[in-house]
Amino acid sequence: MRVAGVVLAAGAGRRFGMPKALVEHRGSLLVDRAARVLAEGGCSPVVVVLGAAADEVREQAELAGVSVVVNPDWDSGMGSSLRVGIDALTSTDADAAVVLPVDMPGIGAEAVRRVAELAGPSALAAAAHDGRRSHPVLLGREHWAGARASATGDAGARGYLRDREVVLVPCDDVSAGFDVDRPEDLPADGT
């Protein structure tokens, strides 16, 4: 199965005080880290969706080996970024896509691999942290249109997934499912 990766990195990071794509953590920008995690987890191609400060992100980030797309409606929420990311994959031969928000530095390549192992055109899966659905999320190609249609505001695919059976993949032993909304959310120990 061919599994693509999508990094959602278009937000302005209002609560953080800057776009989270530009946040440096443990020596790299969060956007570079997220793209690298997807690639190391076996995803190809990897699409990075930018929006707020897109030019600045392109200047500062490495973004090596990824496809960068810009969401012109980034300020409407994560849903529009998911739509842009899915649209960028429709011309590929990917059977599924692993979606990872830029603000989850506790997710590593092993979590991506575990979730991606379930890839297939009809697959729906997600990492589980503390028994709850988390990220990354796997969307089989057959679900792209439905996830895209339901992606509004900051909900992303949440509504679409809520009404369907999603296989949860325990990942507590290899990743941490926290997200970073404010500077104090970044772990001091670098995890």
Side-chain angles (χ1 to χ4, degrees), residues 15 35 53 56 73 79 88-89 104 108 122 141 159 174 187-188 190-191:
R15 288 180 285 175
E56 190 176 349
D73 299 320
L89 294 177
M104 298 192 73
S122 62
R141 191 178 193 102
V174 295
T191 58

Side-chain angles (χ1 to χ4, degrees), residues 100-124:
L100 180 62
V102 73
D103 64 352
M104 298 192 73
I107 304 298
E110 181 57 31
V112 172
R113 273 190 289 280
R114 282 188 187 177
V115 173
E117 283 177 3
L118 301 176
S122 62
L124 283 177

